Amino acid sequence: MAAAAVRKREKWKWLLPSTSSAQTTTSGTLKETFRAGDIRLSPYLASSARPPRWNSRSFTCLLAIAFLIQCVSALPPVIRIGGIFREDQKDGSAELAFKYAVYRLNRERTILPNTTLVYDIQYVPRDDSFRTSKKACKQIDFGVQAIFGPSDPVLGPHVQSICDALDIPHLETRLDLASRTSARSELSINLHPSQEVLNAAYKDLMRFLNWTKVAIIYEDEGGLLRLQDLVRSPPTSKMEVHIRQGTVNTYRQVLREIKQRDINNIIVDTRTEHVHTFFRAILQLQMNDYQYHYLFASPDLETFDLEDFKYNFVNISAFRIVDADSNFTRNQLRDMEKFQPVGQSILNKSNIIQAEPALVYDSVMALAHGLAALDRGTALRLANLSCDIEQPWNDGSSLFNYINTVEFVGLTGPVRFKEGRRSNVTLDLLKLKRENLTKVGEWNAEMGLNITDPVAFYEGSTPNITLIVMTNEEMPYVMRRSERNLTGNDRYEGFSIDLLKAIAGMVGFNYVIEMAPDKKYGAPDPETGEWNGVVRQILEKKADLAVGSMTINYAREMVIDFTKPFMNLGISILFKVPTPTPTRLFSFMNPLAVEIWLFLLLAYVLVSLSMWVVARFTPYEWHDNVNGSGLGSRCHHGHHYASGSIGCIDQTLQQPHNTDALFDSEHAALASSNDFSLANSFWFTIGTLMQQGSDLNPKAASTRIVGGIWWFFTLIIISSYTANLAAFLTVERMIAPIDSVEDLADQSEISYGTLDAGSTMTFFRDSRIETYQKMWRYMESKKPSVFVSTYEEGTKRVMEGNFAFLMESTTLDYVVQRNCNLTQIGGLLDSKGYGIGTPKGSPWRDRISLAILELQEKGSIHLLYNKWWKDTGDVCNRDDKNKESKASALGVENIGGVFVVLLCGLAMAIVVAILEFCWNSKRNAQQEKQSLCSEMGEELRFALRCQGSRQRPTLRRSCLRCTPPSHTYVPTNHDVPPLHGQENGVMPMIELRKASIVHSYDLDN
């Protein structure tokens, strides 16, 4: 107990006149620290001198004076109060407003001259009622005489029940959902207007605006409870009320549904921190024009950024609690701003205090006024209370009664209570205008709604001016709705209709839409000069405005006025998409032109011949045939082959008397040869061209230059061919008969025309360009077959084929995006714009021009263009991008020619092999003097053998000319190279005898 007393004394001693450096209150893990140096006063607030240091004698005198004051005053010198805030409100505007109110009361001493308020602040987590109750009981143990908060609708009732049990006044600023007839808490003072009062204000405003269809958007269950009375008992019996729940993730979906239902009046109850997200959803769905009216339930609408909504006449309204226009509130906020360093944090960036901190400030002031009233009547006896001992405070009910009877002017206006509830509340009605949110009326329970500025609700739409608007039905500018039983302007929709609505709301007029009798915009007759179409209606004063796809040109500008153009365009050609060219079997040859293939063949022949000639000229491509294939190549029938390096041993060497033959054979063995024969040169060239190489390699510098240049040439050719091959095989190619307006003018197979009596026809008729004059002469000679009355008729003729339609690019773009079989040919032939036509000298021209410029700068016209051209849902899904991003699979029709070439090559090889077989068999048959059939049979049997030696055996036929006598010939050392294992180079003696069959000897074995 002694330790608790010390802690309690240390807790409250900072308010006593001392210079203690710091006093700290500890509650759980959270601390509330208040230092004397934490609040630095401005010169205005710090006018008094700094208190001197206190010694023990001075402190004794002060205690004596305080005792005398207590005997005279009914209030104790120190009254402790507690504040409970959520953890997310720590150092927030509500907590700072609570501290500032206590500081101001202790500073000025006008309300409580002899009493000092000391506060204790505790922080509780959201939706944790158990910890909240524990924090409230801890404050009661510390000896608080009143508790403020929390403002949470879940936590507040728990603290309220504890205060009711102990008769401690509980001051709240949360929204009370209980009705007037429901049971009330005995000792609860709530400064927030009840929801019943707010709903009454909403109903009066809805009744004044004559709403017939309303949508209510709420965010949580509390919002549903708050606004359910509007659904149960709407202001009028004919009012249709729709209620939808919307969160941060579903705002757009809910607003889109409301827009589809044609609901223009919306009541929004969302959290303050989510209002900016709701505003962004409104902008994204283009629900920010004058036809929509938003009534926000938040009392802090002034603190939000509404810059994006000021200039398009969107109706945004709200009721506020803080009377920011009164002089009292301005002075209070000015002094609060000087409260450093936390004064700026209490206020919003726009120097406007929010509703919750204002209510917290007024609640502290209400307690101070109640204590002052009690001070004048009776004495207040403090008591030690505890939640463990349910002993109520005897003077608690008296303090509550005095608070309930106070009346004063606070930041939230006149403050009066009736049974603990706020009574006779005055709410200010705010309306968004071009400048900012402006107060346009007041509401209170006695007088109801009082509109002080009724023109603000009709700004931009003056009801007493009606203009006749002439137009033509044309997609997507003016179209008739498919719904039945529609009358007036509701029968039409389209780009021009939406643009006209926006302009009418900005300029301020009503309108009636009518159609031109002849369904034309107007062109002068070449002979009489009389106008037709919409222009004629304006000239005859039958129309005030002309809207639609009406082009500004010289002829029309001479007779009527035009506003600034709202859309730029030009003339282009609408044509049917050409059919794709059929894929050829040999399409793999398409990457290179025919002349390139011919040049490639010529280069192949030329390089091959050059290689052959250069190889024969250079001495470095010749080599001796002492060893290897040089001798072997000269072996004929009747010789036998000895493997190893000896080569071919002629049987004539066995005859020692035939020395001439011996020397001839030796010279033949030592002769030079050249690998680059004519056939080998062609083989080398084709091998490198096919990127496969060959077994022939140039040795001389000249032949290597020829080979290197040819390799570089083949590298470029093969790379270029490979790069283009994929595109030619995968991209579907279209061949259009015309590519430009010049191609159209120079041909006669495809007819072409324009819209009759339109600006396009006038362009060709009055043009001085030779190409366009030529086209006009053609169209005039075909009149009236090439002129159409509507764009739909011209599009139909294009679809039938062999017809090109000259039309304006905007309408062409609309048609092309909805029909994949149509396309635009070439670019724009001219540049012009669409405008709104008015009579000469009309006062509406300049005002509408300014409205158009404003809509263009804000991007509203571009949004309308996307809405009617691209976002209608019936746009053609072309697969051009898919073809670019993903190659299509190749079929037989693409690369089937490669297989044909392969089969032809195989067939040619077989034919050549048969011819070689026949030719060789015939030659052998002639040399061996055998029949051709037996020779071919023997060769065929050998070729078809599946087993046996891979080497072709020596022919077994006898040769009388090659049969030597039985003599022995021993070659010399220089004639025969060393054998395996014979280092002295002496060849073993071999006896060669005459025989009918020549045998082969393997000298290595």
Side-chain angles (χ1 to χ4, degrees):
M1 294 297 294
V6 171
R7 286 198 302 268
K8 185 178 295 187
R9 185 167 59 253
E10 290 293 326
K11 177 179 181 61
W12 306 107
K13 70 179 182 179
W14 67 270
L15 279 171
L16 297 177
S18 66
T19 57
S20 301
S21 60
Q23 315 296 334
T24 304
T25 299
T26 305
S27 56
T29 59
L30 297 174
K31 295 182 178 181
E32 170 59 27
T33 302
F34 193 97
R35 296 176 180 270
D38 284 347
I39 298 182
R40 295 180 298 275
L41 304 180
S42 63
Y44 177 81
L45 294 177
S47 57
S48 62
R50 184 177 178 180
R53 292 184 176 271
W54 297 86
N55 51 28
S56 58
R57 184 175 182 180
S58 301
F59 186 75
T60 304
C61 295
L62 178 62
L63 291 179
I65 295 173
F67 177 78
L68 294 176
I69 294 176
Q70 186 175 5
C71 295
V72 177
S73 174
L75 295 178
V78 176
I79 294 180
R80 302 165 183 173
I81 61 176
I84 300 178
F85 300 92
R86 295 194 310 268
E87 292 178 352
D88 58 340
Q89 293 179 319
K90 185 177 181 180
D91 295 332
S93 58
E95 179 187 349
L96 296 178
F98 177 79
K99 293 179 180 180
Y100 173 74
V102 175
Y103 169 79
R104 182 161 187 152
L105 289 173
N106 295 335
R107 175 71 181 178
E108 296 181 352
R109 301 289 184 178
T110 55
I111 302 178
L112 299 175
N114 302 321
T115 303
T116 300
L117 296 180
V118 179
Y119 62 79
D120 173 69
I121 294 179
Q122 299 290 334
Y123 305 102
V124 295
R126 184 188 294 269
D127 300 333
D128 192 343
S129 58
F130 176 77
R131 293 187 62 183
T132 302
S133 300
K134 297 293 289 183
K135 296 288 185 180
C137 291
K138 182 175 292 188
Q139 287 186 339
I140 293 174
D141 292 338
F142 287 160
V144 296
Q145 280 75 48
I147 296 179
F148 295 80
S151 60
D152 189 271
V154 177
L155 305 180
H158 292 275
V159 178
Q160 177 181 317
S161 62
I162 295 176
C163 293
D164 289 343
L166 300 178
D167 284 354
I168 298 176
H170 181 215
L171 290 92
E172 299 178 272
T173 59
R174 62 183 176 91
L175 180 62
D176 190 4
L177 301 179
S179 62
R180 293 180 181 272
T181 58
S182 60
R184 282 287 302 162
S185 175
E186 296 179 358
L187 298 176
S188 176
I189 301 292
N190 196 336
L191 277 82
H192 198 291
S194 65
Q195 188 62 45
E196 184 178 3
V197 173
L198 297 177
N199 288 337
Y202 297 154
K203 291 180 180 180
D204 288 349
L205 179 60
M206 295 162 65
R207 193 179 296 108
F208 169 78
L209 297 175
N210 195 24
W211 286 359
T212 58
K213 186 184 291 187
V214 184
I216 299 176
I217 301 178
Y218 67 94
E219 184 171 351
D220 50 20
E221 296 179 356
L224 178 61
L225 295 176
R226 288 189 291 268
L227 300 178
Q228 62 180 347
D229 184 58
L230 300 180
V231 182
R232 294 177 178 176
S233 57
T236 60
S237 58
K238 297 182 180 180
M239 182 175 295
E240 180 180 350
V241 181
H242 301 261
I243 186 166
R244 294 290 183 271
Q245 183 178 9
T247 61
V248 176
N249 299 324
T250 61
Y251 281 153
R252 292 185 59 183
Q253 180 181 354
V254 173
L255 288 174
R256 186 181 293 109
E257 179 183 356
I258 293 174
K259 185 177 181 180
Q260 292 174 355
R261 293 177 176 269
D262 292 331
I263 302 176
N264 299 330
N265 305 312
I266 305 172
I267 299 177
V268 183
D269 187 351
T270 182
R271 294 183 180 178
T272 303
E273 58 268 24
H274 297 161
V275 172
H276 67 281
T277 306
F278 187 85
F279 283 158
R280 186 166 62 250
I282 293 175
L283 295 175
Q284 291 173 350
L285 295 176
Q286 304 176 24
M287 299 175 64
N288 59 331
D289 55 15
Y290 70 96
Q291 62 181 345
Y292 291 96
H293 197 136
Y294 298 92
L295 176 59
F296 284 88
S298 173
D300 301 322
L301 188 62
E302 284 181 292
T303 61
F304 302 140
D305 185 12
L306 302 176
E307 189 67 24
D308 296 332
F309 300 90
K310 290 182 179 179
Y311 306 102
N312 50 9
F313 297 96
V314 60
N315 297 289
I316 296 180
S317 302
F319 288 96
R320 71 180 180 186
I321 300 176
V322 180
D323 186 9
D325 298 331
S326 66
N327 295 329
F328 173 81
T329 303
R330 292 178 181 177
N331 295 332
Q332 293 289 322
L333 296 181
R334 189 181 301 112
D335 294 340
M336 188 179 297
E337 187 178 0
K338 298 176 182 179
F339 180 65
Q340 299 296 334
V342 297
Q344 294 287 347
S345 301
I346 303 176
L347 304 180
N348 188 265
K349 294 181 180 180
S350 58
N351 292 330
I352 299 176
I353 191 171
Q354 294 181 344
E356 185 175 4
L359 291 172
V360 171
Y361 178 87
D362 286 348
S363 64
V364 178
M365 293 299 169
L367 174 63
H369 284 281
L371 290 173
L374 185 145
D375 188 24
R376 293 188 294 269
T378 183
L380 181 65
R381 294 180 297 273
L382 303 181
N384 294 326
L385 304 176
S386 176
C387 293
D388 299 332
I389 304 175
E390 295 185 2
Q391 178 66 34
W393 183 23
N394 295 329
D395 292 345
S397 58
S398 300
L399 178 59
F400 169 81
N401 293 330
Y402 279 101
I403 298 174
N404 194 37
T405 58
V406 300
E407 293 185 8
F408 66 96
V409 177
L411 296 179
T412 58
V415 177
R416 287 189 292 270
F417 300 99
K418 184 178 181 180
E419 298 178 357
R421 282 174 173 257
R422 188 83 175 262
S423 64
N424 198 19
V425 180
T426 300
L427 303 176
D428 294 338
L429 176 61
L430 303 179
K431 171 69 170 58
L432 179 63
K433 302 178 72 173
R434 284 200 174 188
E435 297 79 14
N436 48 24
L437 277 171
T438 306
K439 179 181 177 180
V440 296
E442 291 182 351
W443 183 94
N444 56 56
E446 297 177 359
M447 303 296 297
L449 184 63
N450 179 26
I451 302 297
T452 58
D453 187 10
V455 181
F457 293 93
Y458 304 103
E459 184 179 12
S461 56
T462 308
N464 56 355
I465 299 177
T466 302
L467 303 180
I468 304 298
V469 179
M470 194 67 59
T471 185
N472 287 324
E473 288 191 31
E474 179 184 351
M475 299 176 63
Y477 301 97
V478 180
M479 299 175 291
R480 190 178 294 270
R481 292 181 181 269
S482 58
E483 294 87 351
R484 298 181 179 179
N485 301 326
L486 296 177
T487 59
N489 300 335
D490 296 335
R491 296 173 296 171
Y492 306 104
E493 64 178 355
F495 174 84
S496 297
I497 302 300
D498 290 348
L499 180 64
L500 184 61
K501 288 180 181 179
I503 293 174
M506 296 173 65
V507 177
F509 61 85
N510 286 344
Y511 56 90
V512 176
I513 300 176
E514 295 183 2
M515 295 294 158
D518 54 0
K519 299 181 180 180
K520 298 178 181 180
Y521 284 106
D525 188 277
E527 299 179 356
T528 62
E530 295 183 357
W531 286 81
N532 56 12
V534 176
V535 178
R536 183 183 183 90
Q537 301 298 315
I538 294 179
L539 294 176
E540 294 179 354
K541 305 298 182 181
K542 295 181 180 180
D544 300 306
L545 298 177
V547 299
S549 59
M550 193 169 182
T551 308
I552 304 173
N553 56 22
Y554 174 77
R556 292 173 179 171
E557 190 72 35
M558 291 294 295
V559 293
I560 63 174
D561 285 341
F562 280 96
T563 63
K564 298 292 183 182
F566 58 83
M567 185 178 294
N568 296 318
L569 64 145
I571 299 174
S572 191
I573 303 173
L574 179 67
F575 195 67
K576 189 176 182 180
V577 174
T579 57
T581 57
T583 305
R584 298 185 303 171
L585 188 62
F586 294 92
S587 59
F588 65 89
M589 299 185 67
N590 290 338
L592 299 180
V594 177
E595 56 270 16
I596 298 298
W597 288 111
L598 295 178
F599 289 150
L600 181 60
L601 178 61
L602 180 61
Y604 166 67
V605 175
L606 181 61
V607 172
S608 300
L609 293 176
S610 301
M611 179 64 76
W612 177 63
V613 172
V614 172
R616 294 190 66 84
F617 268 92
T618 178
Y620 298 102
E621 290 294 342
W622 295 90
H623 56 86
D624 296 335
N625 283 333
V626 177
N627 300 323
S629 61
L631 289 172
S633 63
R634 289 172 172 77
C635 291
H636 302 291
H637 294 288
H639 305 162
H640 72 276
Y641 175 78
S643 62
S645 60
I646 295 179
C648 181
I649 303 177
D650 199 331
Q651 289 182 357
T652 59
L653 299 178
Q654 299 176 4
Q655 303 176 6
H657 301 286
N658 195 356
T659 58
D660 295 335
L662 177 60
F663 287 106
D664 292 340
S665 178
E666 183 178 355
H667 287 297
L670 297 175
S672 299
S673 64
N674 194 325
D675 291 339
F676 281 95
S677 61
L678 184 61
N680 286 348
S681 298
F682 276 92
W683 177 249
F684 171 80
T685 310
I686 193 65
T688 54
L689 178 62
M690 297 301 174
Q691 303 290 303
Q692 299 302 319
S694 67
D695 55 351
L696 301 174
N697 293 318
K699 302 179 181 62
S702 57
T703 54
R704 287 182 177 180
I705 292 175
V706 175
I709 292 298
W710 175 248
W711 291 342
F712 175 76
F713 174 79
T714 56
L715 174 65
I716 300 302
I717 292 296
I718 296 301
S719 300
S720 303
Y721 175 82
T722 306
N724 289 341
L725 181 63
F728 274 84
L729 293 182
T730 58
V731 176
E732 187 179 35
R733 297 192 171 271
M734 308 277 187
I735 299 178
I738 55 175
D739 293 328
S740 62
V741 66
E742 288 77 12
D743 296 342
L744 185 63
D746 294 339
Q747 57 82 42
S748 58
E749 296 181 358
I750 301 174
S751 58
Y752 48 90
T754 66
L755 186 68
D756 189 19
S759 60
T760 304
M761 186 191 74
T762 306
F763 168 78
F764 284 98
R765 185 188 63 190
D766 300 336
S767 178
R768 295 296 180 264
I769 301 176
E770 179 60 29
T771 302
Y772 301 154
Q773 289 180 349
K774 180 180 178 180
M775 297 176 67
W776 172 249
R777 290 192 296 267
Y778 169 83
M779 289 186 287
E780 195 174 20
S781 64
K782 298 291 184 177
K783 192 176 182 179
S785 61
V786 296
F787 294 100
V788 297
S789 58
T790 60
Y791 283 118
E792 288 76 11
E793 182 181 351
T795 304
K796 182 179 179 181
R797 290 194 60 179
V798 173
M799 289 297 300
E800 294 174 355
N802 207 31
F803 183 78
F805 189 45
L806 297 160
M807 61 189 303
E808 291 166 343
S809 59
T810 52
T811 309
L812 185 147
D813 187 22
Y814 179 82
V815 174
V816 167
Q817 290 192 27
R818 281 152 184 80
N819 194 333
C820 292
N821 296 322
L822 299 177
T823 185
Q824 177 180 346
I825 301 297
L828 302 181
L829 308 186
D830 65 341
S831 179
K832 50 192 173 183
Y834 286 156
I836 298 179
T838 62
K840 280 288 186 179
S842 174
W844 297 103
R845 186 191 67 172
D846 294 338
R847 300 177 63 182
I848 295 177
S849 296
L850 293 175
I852 291 174
L853 292 177
E854 184 176 349
L855 291 174
Q856 287 178 338
E857 291 177 357
K858 294 191 299 183
S860 300
I861 295 180
H862 181 71
L863 294 176
L864 290 178
Y865 179 86
N866 291 336
K867 172 184 176 181
W868 291 103
W869 265 260
K870 300 179 181 180
D871 300 338
T872 56
D874 56 349
V875 179
C876 171
N877 295 323
R878 302 178 184 269
D879 53 356
D880 295 342
K881 295 183 178 179
N882 295 333
K883 289 183 178 179
E884 295 177 0
S885 59
K886 183 179 180 181
S888 59
L890 299 179
V892 178
E893 65 277 4
N894 298 110
I895 58 174
V898 178
F899 295 94
V900 175
V901 172
L902 177 62
L903 295 177
C904 292
L906 295 177
M908 182 180 296
I910 294 174
V911 172
V912 172
I914 294 174
L915 293 177
E916 291 177 347
F917 177 80
C918 296
W919 173 257
N920 185 60
S921 299
K922 181 180 179 182
R923 187 183 63 177
N924 292 339
Q926 290 177 354
Q927 291 179 356
E928 304 299 335
K929 296 181 179 181
Q930 294 184 5
S931 63
L932 178 61
C933 295
S934 62
E935 179 69 21
M936 293 182 63
E938 185 177 353
E939 294 288 343
L940 185 61
R941 283 194 302 272
F942 172 76
L944 296 178
R945 288 176 60 186
C946 298
Q947 297 178 353
S949 175
R950 295 183 181 180
Q951 298 181 355
R952 186 181 181 88
T954 307
L955 297 178
R956 298 186 302 276
R957 304 174 184 85
S958 61
C959 182
L960 298 177
R961 295 176 299 175
C962 298
T963 304
S966 59
H967 296 283
T968 303
Y969 171 74
V970 180
T972 61
N973 291 339
H974 70 273
D975 292 333
V976 180
L979 298 177
H980 298 284
Q982 302 294 333
E983 297 180 357
N984 54 6
V986 178
M987 177 181 176
M989 183 176 293
I990 302 175
E991 182 179 0
L992 301 177
R993 298 181 181 276
K994 182 178 179 181
S996 59
I997 300 176
V998 179
H999 298 277
S1000 298
Y1001 293 91
D1002 191 349
L1003 300 181
D1004 291 337
N1005 296 327

